[in-house]
Amino acid sequence: MNRRRKAAVFFLMIGMCFSILAGCGGDSTVKVKIGEVTRSVFYAPEYVALTQGFFKDEGLEVELQTIPGGDKTMTALLSGAIDVALVGSETSIYVYQQGADDPVINFAQLTQRDGTFLFARKADGTFNWDQVKGSTFLGQRKGGMPQMAGAFTLLQKGIDPAKDITLIQNIDFANIAGAYASGTGDYVQLFEPQASIFEREGRGTVVASFGVESGYLPYTVFMSKDSYISKNGDTVQKFTNAIQRAQLWVKGHSPEEIATAIMPYFEKTEKDIVVSVVKRYKDQDTYATNPTVDDKEWNNLLDVMDNAGELKARVPSEKIVNNTFAEKAQKDIKDDTAK
């Protein structure tokens, strides 16, 4: 072998060694695809986990996409288009009721109350729920948690949605605010920040909170297929750790600080509106301070769904809730690590 060929072989071997070493000591980041059912200040701790680097600290590269509608989000999860869904926990019950071979498991709770408010076009004096009787009520989509929590609350207040009001619920979620703005309805069930925006525009007033009235629920939860969790337990634990850190961060910071942290996800919304929304949600204890789904919350969820006629049978939490990751995160992640 001549000198030139020997040199070529030598440099080739050196290159191969560097490639092997790079592969052994390279980037070990794990990619996780999240599908959220909507983009909302309601999910502030999720965005805090992203902007404050909590996922990154756990070695996760998170890709977030918004998939409007619980049914579409669940379809994306079941098909493998996403790894984790952030959606109402009722969707996991619907999948379970259909006899799925690979059930969807709730592993980290994000919000613990309904996020909608009763918005009145005209509000004179102190609000009384009896004022809703005889009105035209623009509600949420049938079968979704906002609608079920709304109906549950109305019945608790002595209002039969089928008899005491003219209920409109055939308008898509994305078009409800527009329908109300165009003159439809005396009352409307609204999420933030639309409620605060409408107040600023003089279109009416928030008179009650469905979140407060319907009680604590595992309202929005991170969930994955059972098969994904079984194969990727370490990743799920790291994901839950990041969420716990974000929840503690939100708990320990002011609405102004939280708004600043999540503004990259709400560039088209004025910051003072975001601050107002965060404050309203914090004041009513909407954001969960830990990722565990407890039995009391779960049973309240079942009551709400049963009241709406959407429950074939009560589903024990142990069938589709796995608190192992949340409990470990609570044990390992302390308040001072999130600041």
Side-chain angles (χ1 to χ4, degrees):
M1 183 180 294
N2 62 39
R3 187 174 298 177
R4 183 175 295 178
R5 290 186 65 187
K6 285 182 179 179
V9 171
F10 173 78
F11 285 116
L12 177 62
M13 292 178 68
I14 291 293
M16 290 175 65
C17 288
F18 275 118
S19 295
I20 291 170
L21 289 172
C24 292
D27 186 7
S28 59
T29 299
V30 177
K31 294 183 179 181
V32 180
K33 295 180 179 179
I34 306 177
E36 58 176 7
V37 68
T38 188
R39 176 61 48 85
S40 176
V41 179
F42 189 48
Y43 303 150
E46 175 190 34
Y47 312 122
V48 164
L50 287 160
T51 64
Q52 302 307 298
F54 297 150
F55 285 125
K56 186 177 180 180
D57 291 345
E58 293 288 338
L60 303 180
E61 180 183 333
V62 169
E63 177 186 310
L64 177 64
Q65 57 182 298
T66 303
I67 307 173
D71 53 343
K72 293 182 178 64
T73 305
M74 190 54 61
T75 297
L77 182 65
L78 295 174
S79 69
I82 57 175
D83 304 310
V84 177
L86 176 62
V87 66
S89 52
E90 80 282 357
T91 57
S92 65
I93 293 177
Y94 292 148
V95 172
Y96 181 82
Q97 288 183 156
Q98 293 169 2
D101 294 329
D102 191 2
V104 173
I105 305 299
N106 300 271
F107 67 84
Q109 178 172 312
L110 192 74
T111 61
Q112 60 188 8
R113 287 191 186 276
D114 178 85
T116 61
F117 298 87
L118 180 63
F119 195 89
R121 194 177 295 280
K122 297 179 181 179
D124 298 323
T126 304
F127 171 74
N128 185 297
W129 282 92
D130 285 339
Q131 296 170 6
V132 178
K133 291 182 178 180
S135 69
T136 298
F137 187 99
L138 185 52
Q140 296 283 327
R141 176 182 60 83
K142 188 179 187 303
M145 274 308 300
Q147 180 270 326
M148 290 190 286
F152 185 75
T153 298
L154 291 174
L155 284 172
Q156 284 187 320
K157 299 300 180 181
I159 301 169
D160 186 339
K163 299 177 180 178
D164 296 331
I165 60 177
T166 299
L167 180 61
I168 301 173
Q169 55 183 161
N170 61 346
I171 299 175
D172 290 340
F173 174 81
N175 298 322
I176 290 174
Y180 180 80
S182 68
T184 302
D186 303 306
Y187 293 90
V188 61
Q189 186 177 356
L190 286 178
F191 269 102
E192 289 283 18
Q194 197 60 60
S196 290
I197 292 172
F198 275 0
E199 281 186 323
R200 173 176 288 187
E201 294 174 348
R203 298 182 185 275
T205 307
V206 169
V207 293
S209 165
F210 285 106
V212 170
E213 299 295 346
S214 59
Y216 290 104
L217 301 161
Y219 196 84
T220 320
V221 183
F222 289 104
M223 56 189 75
S224 291
K225 291 189 293 185
D226 187 40
S227 59
Y228 178 87
I229 293 175
S230 298
K231 295 175 183 176
N232 302 278
D234 186 53
T235 297
V236 175
Q237 185 63 66
K238 291 176 178 178
F239 187 100
T240 308
N241 290 348
I243 294 303
Q244 173 68 104
R245 290 185 67 191
Q247 289 170 326
L248 293 174
W249 194 97
V250 168
K251 177 184 176 182
H253 287 75
S254 68
E256 291 77 10
E257 291 170 321
I258 297 167
T260 298
I262 69 175
M263 280 308 295
Y265 291 91
F266 300 94
E267 293 177 345
K268 295 182 180 180
T269 305
E270 293 181 28
K271 186 176 179 180
D272 62 332
I273 288 289
V274 177
V275 172
S276 173
V277 173
V278 170
K279 184 178 186 307
R280 183 169 270 166
Y281 280 139
K282 281 201 75 172
D283 286 349
Q284 68 176 38
D285 204 24
T286 294
Y287 303 125
T289 56
N290 67 73
T292 302
V293 178
D294 68 42
D295 286 340
K296 186 175 181 180
E297 291 173 324
W298 187 258
N299 286 324
N300 192 31
L301 167 69
L302 297 181
D303 289 343
V304 169
M305 293 184 68
D306 192 30
N307 173 77
E310 300 290 346
L311 199 64
K312 293 180 180 178
R314 295 183 77 85
V315 181
S317 61
E318 59 266 22
K319 294 291 185 181
I320 51 176
V321 174
N322 185 342
N323 278 322
T324 303
F325 306 101
E327 289 168 355
K328 188 176 189 308
Q330 277 187 264
K331 179 181 177 181
D332 295 346
I333 308 299
K334 306 303 180 184
D335 278 18
D336 58 353
T337 66
K339 293 179 181 178

